[in-house]
Amino acid sequence: MAGPGAWGRLHLLLLSVSSWSLISAQVMDKQTIQVPENKPIDLPCTAYVSQSGTPRVEWKFEKGSSIVLFYYDSKFTDPYKDRAKYSPTGISFSSVTRKDTGKYTCEVFWPGSGGSDQLRKSEVDLIVQVPPSKPVAKVPTSVTIGNKAVLTCTETDGSPPPTFQWYRDNILMPSNPKISEKFRNSSYTIDTKTGVLTIEPVTSFDTGDYFCEAQNNVGTAQKSEAIHLEATEVNVGGIVAAVVVLLIVLALVAFGIWFAYSRGFFSKRRGQILKKSRECPRNAGIVSLPLEMQPPLGWKVTIILG
């Protein structure tokens, strides 16, 4: 695999502006090719045609926001030179993996005289087929009746991206619950592309074991583990009991305060505090200490004389 320096040079090549890159390219052909993972594949360059002169051919690979120039100046770059072969009409891969999924662009430039340069290109969308792995379902185990429940299903390996279905109690959930006798009392929507099942509002009929399935027509469809969802009633009895307990606690606190006042507890405490304040000596004053006993600068000491 190429190091960071090599990839940096590749991107610099893409950013450099050559005289022929400014010519408007004519897209001759666009096609999509699918191939199973770890199999060989030929990607055609339909932009190439036999004519006089020696053309310059380049191949680019685009995936997301990344663009890599992997065939340039009549040779492959490091990541491709040991696994691809070139011919003017296309390139051949000995084996492809899921990382090779993306857009491949062949650009052919014929230099001409008197401003008659010609640039043609063709594009191939390569999809490396990978069967889905076991999806992961996230299902809330308990939902209060009348609320909304959101169930999700995710799978990250399948190529092309899989579509999703949901099952309740081993029965396939139709996209429209009203057309099924078993689901017509439920209200939900299923997004087959994202795998999100939204039930709103939840009813007692929605209690059951849920699992999802991912499939992309490559290999065998995969199912998640089943998770039980319980639609529960609002616990009115529990709420009432909590309120009653709170009222009892408040009543006990109020009774304790009243009892203390009635027994004179607070008045006795107040009398003790006043008595101690009256016992304080009246001849308290501020005196100066001898030099050797004086505190640090800025300090004052008050002495109570008995």
Side-chain angles (χ1 to χ4, degrees):
M1 180 175 291
W7 285 110
R9 289 191 293 273
L10 286 175
H11 286 285
L12 286 175
L13 285 172
L14 291 175
L15 294 175
S16 64
V17 179
S18 60
S19 59
W20 66 276
S21 65
L22 299 177
I23 303 173
S24 177
Q26 179 182 3
V27 180
M28 305 305 299
D29 184 44
K30 293 182 179 181
Q31 55 182 297
T32 299
I33 297 177
Q34 297 194 33
V35 60
E37 190 173 29
N38 301 318
K39 296 294 184 180
I41 188 64
D42 296 330
L43 302 182
C45 178
T46 56
Y48 180 86
V49 293
S50 298
Q51 64 183 51
S52 60
T54 303
R56 180 188 297 179
V57 181
E58 292 184 359
W59 278 89
K60 299 176 182 178
F61 173 63
E62 181 177 351
K63 189 169 188 175
S65 60
S66 173
I67 302 177
V68 176
L69 186 62
F70 69 92
Y71 183 81
Y72 176 81
D73 198 19
S74 301
K75 60 180 178 292
F76 286 102
T77 56
D78 287 341
Y80 293 87
K81 63 182 181 181
D82 295 328
R83 53 191 294 259
K85 293 182 179 180
Y86 168 80
S87 72
T89 58
I91 56 174
S92 301
F93 285 96
S94 57
S95 177
V96 290
T97 68
R98 62 195 68 188
K99 293 183 179 179
D100 294 315
T101 294
K103 179 190 291 185
Y104 293 79
T105 303
C106 171
E107 294 185 349
V108 184
F109 171 72
W110 279 274
S113 59
S116 60
D117 296 342
Q118 184 180 11
L119 177 63
R120 295 154 57 99
K121 70 178 182 179
S122 58
E123 298 175 351
V124 177
D125 285 321
L126 177 64
I127 299 176
V128 179
Q129 298 174 332
V130 180
S133 58
K134 184 176 181 178
V136 176
K138 293 185 178 181
V139 180
T141 56
S142 179
V143 181
T144 302
I145 290 175
N147 287 351
K148 178 172 73 173
V150 178
L151 292 67
T152 62
C153 184
T154 56
E155 191 281 334
T156 57
D157 293 326
S159 177
T163 57
F164 299 93
Q165 299 182 116
W166 278 93
Y167 291 77
R168 187 179 76 195
D169 296 332
N170 292 315
I171 301 175
L172 177 64
M173 301 176 68
S175 58
N176 182 3
K178 304 308 177 185
I179 64 174
S180 171
E181 182 178 354
K182 292 184 177 296
F183 295 95
R184 64 185 178 185
N185 291 320
S186 297
S187 179
Y188 62 79
T189 58
I190 299 176
D191 190 325
T192 58
K193 291 184 178 180
T194 62
V196 175
L197 165 62
T198 305
I199 307 173
E200 186 178 16
V202 171
T203 69
S204 59
F205 297 98
D206 296 312
T207 293
D209 296 325
Y210 289 80
F211 67 87
C212 63
E213 181 182 68
Q215 58 180 347
N216 63 354
N217 296 323
V218 181
T220 305
Q222 298 293 318
K223 298 178 180 179
S224 71
E225 296 290 341
I227 302 176
H228 185 75
L229 182 150
E230 186 71 29
T232 59
E233 297 279 357
V234 176
N235 190 1
V236 178
I239 296 175
V240 172
V243 172
V244 171
V245 170
L246 178 61
L247 292 176
I248 292 175
V249 171
L250 293 176
L252 290 175
V253 171
F255 175 78
I257 295 174
W258 171 83
F259 183 80
Y261 268 110
S262 65
R263 296 297 180 179
F265 176 78
F266 290 107
S267 59
K268 290 180 180 179
R269 291 285 296 173
R270 183 171 177 272
Q272 292 174 358
I273 294 173
L274 293 175
K275 181 179 179 182
K276 288 183 179 180
S277 65
R278 287 195 296 268
E279 292 175 352
C280 290
R282 298 180 180 275
N283 56 349
I286 300 176
V287 298
S288 298
L289 295 173
L291 181 63
E292 65 273 7
M293 296 179 62
Q294 288 185 3
L297 184 63
W299 287 32
K300 290 184 178 181
V301 178
T302 300
I303 300 178
I304 308 296
L305 300 178

